Amino acid sequence: MTDTNILLQEWAGPYGGVPAFDKMNLADIKPAIEKGMELKLQEIDEITANTDAPTFENTIVPLEKSGEALDRVFKYYGIWSSNISSPEFRAIQSEMAPIMSEFNSKISQNSELFKRIKTVYNNSLKTPLEADQQRVIQLIYEGFAMDGAELDAEKKARYAAINKELSSLYTNFSNNILADEENYVVYLTKDQLGGLSEGMIKSMAKIASDKGQEGKYAVPNTRSYMDPFLTYSTERQLRKQVWNNYYSRGDNADEFDNNENVAKILKLRKERVGLLGYDNFGDWRLQNRMAKTPENAMNLMNAVWPAAIARVKEEVADMQAVANANGDNITIEPWDYRFYAEKVRQQKYNLDSDEVKQYLQLDKLTEALFFVASELFNYNFTPVPEGSVPVFHEDVKVWEVTDKTTGKHIGLWYLDPFARPGKRSGAWATTYRSHTTFNGEKTVLASNNSNFVKPAAGEALLVSWDDATTFLHEFGHALHFFSSNVKYPTLNGGVRDYTEFQSQVLERWLSTDKVINQFLVHHKTGEAIPQNLVQKIKKAATFNQGFATTEYLASAIMDMKLHLADPTNIDIDAFEKETLEAMDMPKELVMRHRTPHFGHVFSGEGYATAYYGYMWADVLTADAAEAFAEAPNGFYDKELAEKMVKYLFAPRNSMDPADAYRLFRGRDAKIDALMRDRGFPVSKN
């Protein structure tokens, strides 16, 4: 089958081989996964059948090599799941989730395999290995131990059964969100378009037309449409409807309601970590993160929360004053926040987001990414010859990344910029292949994915300042992938409350003069953004920070509190409501991700009790930004940039993140930098 099923085949073509995205066939995915799992289990059996005493070379190296065919299959699976999903694929996903969970348990609970891993680990404590090998065996041993490898047979069986059930719940949770995003659309007539930009109106008209509603204008139920609609639409009742649709995803008391899924997930997670002797999911999850404990994570969030909600009160007062002055006769509600915040921005700073948008073209921002990568990382980005690298959709573009000095090939960068049906909302970065050298040098295939509204042919794609920031953020993840200098695959893994640092720190270059003066040019005239407008942007840097910090923190605190609570008879909607009331959550806004659609936390385990990680990483980000601000050549200081790449990007997970940051900064990061950065008062303690 590896000869005939394209999804299993080794990647051919240029650049060290590339995925055959142009030959993907949904009929191949299920047999490919089944064969890939079979091959990997055979490779594991070969390791455990070895009668020689376990060593790094005869146990860990073949373990690191295992599963290459299955990994290739999962790259295609990820594209179907995130970029081009369909009801047909989602049916396969639901069928395969429990089967793949059982497969993972066969490896994580393989007692003969773990025996060999544990022997190598124990021997390494007596006779240390090379530093990178020591880190590999530590991470692998901890991963197996945290996944129940040392449990007795009965507990192992229950552990595996829980994981199997969770895998189906995660898939169902994700698919329910996607269903609500596809099923809820608001259609407008021509007289209901007040305040909306020409580009957005054209895009909405095309979507309505594609859905058979010629002459109408569709507002899809995704963030990329909800956000600008709530910011600019003058139709208050329609803003309320769009807001309700978006924040009710997974919470509509119908077949796609996620409340029961969340309750089941919380119960199963608590039971599973209980088998390992942990009181709650957070204690288990955070033991090998920078925060170490839920208490430390909560302490950080609780230190920032009062300043955030105090700032919201000020922001609401400013908005209410504007509404009153306009004679609008309303009290600010959540569907009003973005709309009146925009009016306050114009009044306070004489800054119009739409005016700024005229200078933020996606093509020029892409050039800005390449400029920053060139200045800090010494990379060149060159478009690959048309048709030389297969893509899964015509919108996807590909660039080759090379070292500017030596010309050495580093990898390929794929960009999938536009929203489409079947594509998950938001923005993300991923790898199709990571850098390793232990089995021949492998170059990086990285991708960035956005949900920008595709413009009409020949028109510039204009984005908001927030969206431009996110574009740099996700590119920071890609640069983290490209700069990897690790030998073994395990070292490319991330520490969740650290991996957002590399992306968050890159955001800071958007507001540097070199980027602003070269790449923020008017889409019609080509003229550089006027300096007075630049000054307004910089002056308003902390504007609306109450809203941004509070909506994020409310989600992060909710994530932690849900996992620290007793889930026995939990009513998710009631718990969310009561918790927010106890936190004194301002009624004028909601959590960034309400619990029934909190995909970060409930469509998998990546961010469960770990959504706080964005703020944990932002303490490092704000502190590192101050280091650049103080450097002789500011944000383009070569010496400091080299230090950042050397210690904070290239090592990936080959060293402890806290140690890595100290090597960069000479000390630990301080929360004061975060408070200053957000314009919040700094504690005198």
Side-chain angles (χ1 to χ4, degrees), residues 231-247:
T231 305
Y232 297 111
S233 172
T234 54
E235 300 285 334
R236 189 171 190 238
Q237 279 309 111
L238 288 171
R239 289 203 309 267
K240 182 177 180 181
Q241 190 181 346
V242 168
W243 182 91
N244 266 322
N245 283 355
Y246 186 79
Y247 287 104

PDB file of all heavy atoms in Angstrom, residues 231-247:
ATOM      1  N   THR A 231     -17.668  46.524  14.680  1.00  0.00           N
ATOM      2  CA  THR A 231     -16.909  47.777  14.801  1.00  0.00           C
ATOM      3  C   THR A 231     -17.538  48.904  13.994  1.00  0.00           C
ATOM      4  O   THR A 231     -17.555  50.052  14.431  1.00  0.00           O
ATOM      5  CB  THR A 231     -15.445  47.557  14.344  1.00  0.00           C
ATOM      6  OG1 THR A 231     -14.882  46.476  15.099  1.00  0.00           O
ATOM      7  CG2 THR A 231     -14.599  48.810  14.561  1.00  0.00           C
ATOM      8  N   TYR A 232     -18.061  48.571  12.813  1.00  0.00           N
ATOM      9  CA  TYR A 232     -18.456  49.649  11.893  1.00  0.00           C
ATOM     10  C   TYR A 232     -19.948  49.748  11.575  1.00  0.00           C
ATOM     11  O   TYR A 232     -20.414  50.806  11.164  1.00  0.00           O
ATOM     12  CB  TYR A 232     -17.684  49.501  10.571  1.00  0.00           C
ATOM     13  CG  TYR A 232     -16.190  49.641  10.762  1.00  0.00           C
ATOM     14  CD1 TYR A 232     -15.338  48.551  10.602  1.00  0.00           C
ATOM     15  CD2 TYR A 232     -15.632  50.864  11.137  1.00  0.00           C
ATOM     16  CE1 TYR A 232     -13.977  48.668  10.792  1.00  0.00           C
ATOM     17  CE2 TYR A 232     -14.267  51.000  11.331  1.00  0.00           C
ATOM     18  CZ  TYR A 232     -13.441  49.894  11.162  1.00  0.00           C
ATOM     19  OH  TYR A 232     -12.105  50.031  11.366  1.00  0.00           O
ATOM     20  N   SER A 233     -20.707  48.665  11.726  1.00  0.00           N
ATOM     21  CA  SER A 233     -22.115  48.723  11.326  1.00  0.00           C
ATOM     22  C   SER A 233     -22.901  49.700  12.203  1.00  0.00           C
ATOM     23  O   SER A 233     -22.799  49.683  13.426  1.00  0.00           O
ATOM     24  CB  SER A 233     -22.762  47.341  11.429  1.00  0.00           C
ATOM     25  OG  SER A 233     -24.162  47.460  11.224  1.00  0.00           O
ATOM     26  N   THR A 234     -23.702  50.528  11.545  1.00  0.00           N
ATOM     27  CA  THR A 234     -24.524  51.502  12.280  1.00  0.00           C
ATOM     28  C   THR A 234     -25.877  50.906  12.678  1.00  0.00           C
ATOM     29  O   THR A 234     -26.686  51.564  13.328  1.00  0.00           O
ATOM     30  CB  THR A 234     -24.766  52.749  11.401  1.00  0.00           C
ATOM     31  OG1 THR A 234     -25.321  52.313  10.147  1.00  0.00           O
ATOM     32  CG2 THR A 234     -23.473  53.504  11.138  1.00  0.00           C
ATOM     33  N   GLU A 235     -26.118  49.646  12.278  1.00  0.00           N
ATOM     34  CA  GLU A 235     -27.405  48.987  12.556  1.00  0.00           C
ATOM     35  C   GLU A 235     -27.315  48.230  13.880  1.00  0.00           C
ATOM     36  O   GLU A 235     -26.833  47.093  13.929  1.00  0.00           O
ATOM     37  CB  GLU A 235     -27.759  48.023  11.416  1.00  0.00           C
ATOM     38  CG  GLU A 235     -27.895  48.686  10.058  1.00  0.00           C
ATOM     39  CD  GLU A 235     -29.192  49.477   9.943  1.00  0.00           C
ATOM     40  OE1 GLU A 235     -30.164  49.134  10.657  1.00  0.00           O
ATOM     41  OE2 GLU A 235     -29.237  50.439   9.161  1.00  0.00           O
ATOM     42  N   ARG A 236     -27.791  48.850  14.954  1.00  0.00           N
ATOM     43  CA  ARG A 236     -27.590  48.274  16.290  1.00  0.00           C
ATOM     44  C   ARG A 236     -28.261  46.906  16.451  1.00  0.00           C
ATOM     45  O   ARG A 236     -27.676  45.977  17.017  1.00  0.00           O
ATOM     46  CB  ARG A 236     -28.110  49.244  17.365  1.00  0.00           C
ATOM     47  CG  ARG A 236     -27.718  48.794  18.767  1.00  0.00           C
ATOM     48  CD  ARG A 236     -28.041  49.843  19.816  1.00  0.00           C
ATOM     49  NE  ARG A 236     -27.447  49.475  21.095  1.00  0.00           N
ATOM     50  CZ  ARG A 236     -28.131  49.310  22.226  1.00  0.00           C
ATOM     51  NH1 ARG A 236     -29.439  49.491  22.238  1.00  0.00           N
ATOM     52  NH2 ARG A 236     -27.515  48.972  23.343  1.00  0.00           N
ATOM     53  N   GLN A 237     -29.466  46.750  15.960  1.00  0.00           N
ATOM     54  CA  GLN A 237     -30.170  45.470  16.109  1.00  0.00           C
ATOM     55  C   GLN A 237     -29.453  44.352  15.359  1.00  0.00           C
ATOM     56  O   GLN A 237     -29.393  43.206  15.811  1.00  0.00           O
ATOM     57  CB  GLN A 237     -31.625  45.578  15.627  1.00  0.00           C
ATOM     58  CG  GLN A 237     -32.565  46.196  16.657  1.00  0.00           C
ATOM     59  CD  GLN A 237     -32.467  45.531  18.039  1.00  0.00           C
ATOM     60  OE1 GLN A 237     -31.982  46.126  19.013  1.00  0.00           O
ATOM     61  NE2 GLN A 237     -32.903  44.278  18.130  1.00  0.00           N
ATOM     62  N   LEU A 238     -28.900  44.698  14.212  1.00  0.00           N
ATOM     63  CA  LEU A 238     -28.152  43.698  13.446  1.00  0.00           C
ATOM     64  C   LEU A 238     -26.829  43.369  14.141  1.00  0.00           C
ATOM     65  O   LEU A 238     -26.380  42.222  14.120  1.00  0.00           O
ATOM     66  CB  LEU A 238     -27.906  44.195  12.017  1.00  0.00           C
ATOM     67  CG  LEU A 238     -29.149  44.225  11.128  1.00  0.00           C
ATOM     68  CD1 LEU A 238     -28.862  44.930   9.811  1.00  0.00           C
ATOM     69  CD2 LEU A 238     -29.657  42.802  10.859  1.00  0.00           C
ATOM     70  N   ARG A 239     -26.213  44.383  14.744  1.00  0.00           N
ATOM     71  CA  ARG A 239     -24.985  44.109  15.532  1.00  0.00           C
ATOM     72  C   ARG A 239     -25.301  43.104  16.629  1.00  0.00           C
ATOM     73  O   ARG A 239     -24.545  42.167  16.874  1.00  0.00           O
ATOM     74  CB  ARG A 239     -24.423  45.390  16.161  1.00  0.00           C
ATOM     75  CG  ARG A 239     -23.804  46.374  15.213  1.00  0.00           C
ATOM     76  CD  ARG A 239     -22.808  47.302  15.899  1.00  0.00           C
ATOM     77  NE  ARG A 239     -23.299  47.971  17.085  1.00  0.00           N
ATOM     78  CZ  ARG A 239     -23.853  49.170  17.117  1.00  0.00           C
ATOM     79  NH1 ARG A 239     -24.016  49.850  15.979  1.00  0.00           N
ATOM     80  NH2 ARG A 239     -24.257  49.716  18.258  1.00  0.00           N
ATOM     81  N   LYS A 240     -26.449  43.303  17.276  1.00  0.00           N
ATOM     82  CA  LYS A 240     -26.846  42.390  18.355  1.00  0.00           C
ATOM     83  C   LYS A 240     -27.035  40.973  17.812  1.00  0.00           C
ATOM     84  O   LYS A 240     -26.613  39.990  18.437  1.00  0.00           O
ATOM     85  CB  LYS A 240     -28.145  42.892  19.008  1.00  0.00           C
ATOM     86  CG  LYS A 240     -28.611  42.028  20.176  1.00  0.00           C
ATOM     87  CD  LYS A 240     -29.858  42.604  20.839  1.00  0.00           C
ATOM     88  CE  LYS A 240     -30.301  41.728  22.016  1.00  0.00           C
ATOM     89  NZ  LYS A 240     -31.512  42.253  22.664  1.00  0.00           N
ATOM     90  N   GLN A 241     -27.661  40.864  16.649  1.00  0.00           N
ATOM     91  CA  GLN A 241     -27.911  39.542  16.060  1.00  0.00           C
ATOM     92  C   GLN A 241     -26.593  38.843  15.697  1.00  0.00           C
ATOM     93  O   GLN A 241     -26.398  37.659  15.986  1.00  0.00           O
ATOM     94  CB  GLN A 241     -28.790  39.696  14.806  1.00  0.00           C
ATOM     95  CG  GLN A 241     -29.316  38.367  14.265  1.00  0.00           C
ATOM     96  CD  GLN A 241     -30.157  38.553  13.007  1.00  0.00           C
ATOM     97  OE1 GLN A 241     -30.566  39.664  12.667  1.00  0.00           O
ATOM     98  NE2 GLN A 241     -30.403  37.460  12.306  1.00  0.00           N
ATOM     99  N   VAL A 242     -25.681  39.587  15.067  1.00  0.00           N
ATOM    100  CA  VAL A 242     -24.382  39.022  14.684  1.00  0.00           C
ATOM    101  C   VAL A 242     -23.591  38.631  15.935  1.00  0.00           C
ATOM    102  O   VAL A 242     -22.970  37.562  15.995  1.00  0.00           O
ATOM    103  CB  VAL A 242     -23.589  40.030  13.809  1.00  0.00           C
ATOM    104  CG1 VAL A 242     -22.139  39.601  13.644  1.00  0.00           C
ATOM    105  CG2 VAL A 242     -24.270  40.182  12.446  1.00  0.00           C
ATOM    106  N   TRP A 243     -23.633  39.493  16.944  1.00  0.00           N
ATOM    107  CA  TRP A 243     -22.949  39.216  18.221  1.00  0.00           C
ATOM    108  C   TRP A 243     -23.526  37.940  18.854  1.00  0.00           C
ATOM    109  O   TRP A 243     -22.772  37.055  19.280  1.00  0.00           O
ATOM    110  CB  TRP A 243     -23.134  40.413  19.167  1.00  0.00           C
ATOM    111  CG  TRP A 243     -22.435  40.269  20.488  1.00  0.00           C
ATOM    112  CD1 TRP A 243     -21.174  40.684  20.792  1.00  0.00           C
ATOM    113  CD2 TRP A 243     -22.960  39.669  21.686  1.00  0.00           C
ATOM    114  NE1 TRP A 243     -20.875  40.371  22.096  1.00  0.00           N
ATOM    115  CE2 TRP A 243     -21.945  39.748  22.669  1.00  0.00           C
ATOM    116  CE3 TRP A 243     -24.171  39.062  22.019  1.00  0.00           C
ATOM    117  CZ2 TRP A 243     -22.125  39.257  23.960  1.00  0.00           C
ATOM    118  CZ3 TRP A 243     -24.346  38.562  23.305  1.00  0.00           C
ATOM    119  CH2 TRP A 243     -23.330  38.667  24.267  1.00  0.00           C
ATOM    120  N   ASN A 244     -24.853  37.857  18.907  1.00  0.00           N
ATOM    121  CA  ASN A 244     -25.503  36.677  19.499  1.00  0.00           C
ATOM    122  C   ASN A 244     -25.124  35.386  18.772  1.00  0.00           C
ATOM    123  O   ASN A 244     -24.833  34.370  19.401  1.00  0.00           O
ATOM    124  CB  ASN A 244     -27.030  36.831  19.470  1.00  0.00           C
ATOM    125  CG  ASN A 244     -27.548  37.411  20.774  1.00  0.00           C
ATOM    126  OD1 ASN A 244     -27.046  37.091  21.849  1.00  0.00           O
ATOM    127  ND2 ASN A 244     -28.540  38.288  20.686  1.00  0.00           N
ATOM    128  N   ASN A 245     -25.157  35.431  17.460  1.00  0.00           N
ATOM    129  CA  ASN A 245     -24.790  34.244  16.679  1.00  0.00           C
ATOM    130  C   ASN A 245     -23.380  33.777  17.021  1.00  0.00           C
ATOM    131  O   ASN A 245     -23.136  32.590  17.238  1.00  0.00           O
ATOM    132  CB  ASN A 245     -24.852  34.545  15.168  1.00  0.00           C
ATOM    133  CG  ASN A 245     -26.271  34.572  14.634  1.00  0.00           C
ATOM    134  OD1 ASN A 245     -27.227  34.283  15.352  1.00  0.00           O
ATOM    135  ND2 ASN A 245     -26.408  34.935  13.375  1.00  0.00           N
ATOM    136  N   TYR A 246     -22.457  34.733  17.055  1.00  0.00           N
ATOM    137  CA  TYR A 246     -21.047  34.385  17.242  1.00  0.00           C
ATOM    138  C   TYR A 246     -20.778  33.849  18.651  1.00  0.00           C
ATOM    139  O   TYR A 246     -20.131  32.813  18.821  1.00  0.00           O
ATOM    140  CB  TYR A 246     -20.154  35.599  16.955  1.00  0.00           C
ATOM    141  CG  TYR A 246     -18.685  35.245  16.993  1.00  0.00           C
ATOM    142  CD1 TYR A 246     -18.089  34.603  15.908  1.00  0.00           C
ATOM    143  CD2 TYR A 246     -17.908  35.518  18.112  1.00  0.00           C
ATOM    144  CE1 TYR A 246     -16.752  34.244  15.940  1.00  0.00           C
ATOM    145  CE2 TYR A 246     -16.571  35.161  18.157  1.00  0.00           C
ATOM    146  CZ  TYR A 246     -15.995  34.524  17.068  1.00  0.00           C
ATOM    147  OH  TYR A 246     -14.671  34.160  17.108  1.00  0.00           O
ATOM    148  N   TYR A 247     -21.281  34.555  19.655  1.00  0.00           N
ATOM    149  CA  TYR A 247     -20.969  34.166  21.038  1.00  0.00           C
ATOM    150  C   TYR A 247     -21.894  33.064  21.565  1.00  0.00           C
ATOM    151  O   TYR A 247     -21.727  32.614  22.692  1.00  0.00           O
ATOM    152  CB  TYR A 247     -20.968  35.396  21.951  1.00  0.00           C
ATOM    153  CG  TYR A 247     -19.742  36.253  21.705  1.00  0.00           C
ATOM    154  CD1 TYR A 247     -19.825  37.445  20.994  1.00  0.00           C
ATOM    155  CD2 TYR A 247     -18.484  35.836  22.139  1.00  0.00           C
ATOM    156  CE1 TYR A 247     -18.702  38.214  20.735  1.00  0.00           C
ATOM    157  CE2 TYR A 247     -17.349  36.594  21.884  1.00  0.00           C
ATOM    158  CZ  TYR A 247     -17.469  37.785  21.173  1.00  0.00           C
ATOM    159  OH  TYR A 247     -16.331  38.522  20.923  1.00  0.00           O
TER     160      TYR A 247
END
